[in-house]
Amino acid sequence: MAPKQMTKGQKEIYAGNQKTLQFYAGVTVVPNVLYILSCLVFSSGGWMRWFGWLLSAASATGGFLTMYFSAKAKFSSTGQLLDAGLDLGMTEGMTEYIKDIVIFSGIVVFLGIFSGYFLLLWLVIPAVAFYYLWISILWPWIHGPDMGDAGDFSDTQGKRRSRVQKVIRR
């Protein structure tokens, strides 16, 4: 039996959330400011570059604001911490995807300083989202077993189907 995982207290979650939010605020703001300054100084960028930047900046800002509001702490009237909000240090769940989007958008905006073609890397995010949607929802729904066919498999067909499902889940 695995040992029980220790849980963090509300004060530790609050302190961790503050550090995490500070880091991701920097990841959101610094590349965007550098991009705007470089475009203004070098007079570069047509409407497509500005549109690509706006898309990346909106995704990074939206992700940061999602983290900010989900980790918003609640205090009592005396200033005592009642609830630290969602733990942003979790290794599972939606917060990891949001963190990835914020970091990836910051990297894309920073690379967009050097060439507008780097802003096309932002198209990876919808592709990955579609991939996860496909493997976890659409593929099993489309190719799932029919209710009427549940007992009609021989042993070899059942084994083959389980092997195919293992390959699909990889």
Side-chain angles (χ1 to χ4, degrees), residues 2-10 12-13 87 89-91:
K4 185 176 179 182
Q5 186 177 6
M6 298 293 291
T7 57
K8 295 192 292 188
Q10 293 295 315
E12 293 166 339
I13 291 173
D87 185 9
M90 290 188 307
T91 58

Side-chain angles (χ1 to χ4, degrees), residues 46-56 119:
W47 72 272
M48 287 296 281
R49 280 189 81 169
W50 285 108
F51 180 73
W53 166 77
L54 185 63
L55 191 63
S56 293
L119 295 174

Side-chain angles (χ1 to χ4, degrees), residues 58-73:
S59 67
T61 304
F64 175 76
L65 289 176
T66 301
M67 288 192 307
Y68 175 78
F69 286 117
S70 65
K72 196 163 182 101

Side-chain angles (χ1 to χ4, degrees), residues 9 18 32 36 56 65 68 80 126-128:
Q18 294 305 311
N32 289 306
I36 291 171
S56 293
L65 289 176
Y68 175 78
Q80 184 180 5
V128 169

Side-chain angles (χ1 to χ4, degrees), residues 12-122:
E12 293 166 339
I13 291 173
Y14 177 73
N17 284 350
Q18 294 305 311
K19 286 182 181 180
T20 302
L21 288 173
Q22 186 178 16
F23 172 75
Y24 284 99
V27 169
T28 302
V29 171
V30 170
N32 289 306
V33 169
L34 289 175
Y35 185 86
I36 291 171
L37 289 176
S38 70
C39 284
L40 292 176
V41 168
F42 299 119
S43 299
S44 64
W47 72 272
M48 287 296 281
R49 280 189 81 169
W50 285 108
F51 180 73
W53 166 77
L54 185 63
L55 191 63
S56 293
S59 67
T61 304
F64 175 76
L65 289 176
T66 301
M67 288 192 307
Y68 175 78
F69 286 117
S70 65
K72 196 163 182 101
K74 293 182 178 77
F75 294 96
S76 68
S77 60
T78 61
Q80 184 180 5
L81 181 64
L82 296 175
D83 182 27
L86 181 69
D87 185 9
L88 296 178
M90 290 188 307
T91 58
E92 297 175 350
M94 201 59 146
T95 56
E96 281 299 309
Y97 295 122
I98 294 172
K99 288 178 190 179
D100 292 342
I101 289 172
V102 171
I103 288 175
F104 188 76
S105 295
I107 290 170
V108 167
V109 168
F110 181 74
L111 292 174
I113 293 170
F114 305 109
S115 174
Y117 291 110
F118 282 116
L119 295 174
L120 292 175
L121 285 173
W122 194 84

Side-chain angles (χ1 to χ4, degrees), residues 114-169:
F114 305 109
S115 174
Y117 291 110
F118 282 116
L119 295 174
L120 292 175
L121 285 173
W122 194 84
L123 295 174
V124 168
I125 292 175
V128 169
F130 179 75
Y131 171 74
Y132 283 132
L133 178 71
W134 179 261
I135 64 168
S136 60
I137 297 173
L138 295 177
W139 181 266
W141 180 65
I142 292 171
H143 297 287
D146 293 334
M147 292 308 232
D149 297 341
D152 296 341
F153 293 122
S154 66
D155 287 339
T156 57
Q157 288 174 334
K159 288 178 184 178
R160 182 171 180 250
R161 179 170 282 224
S162 66
R163 275 187 276 142
V164 168
Q165 288 177 350
K166 286 179 185 177
V167 170
I168 291 171
R169 289 185 183 138

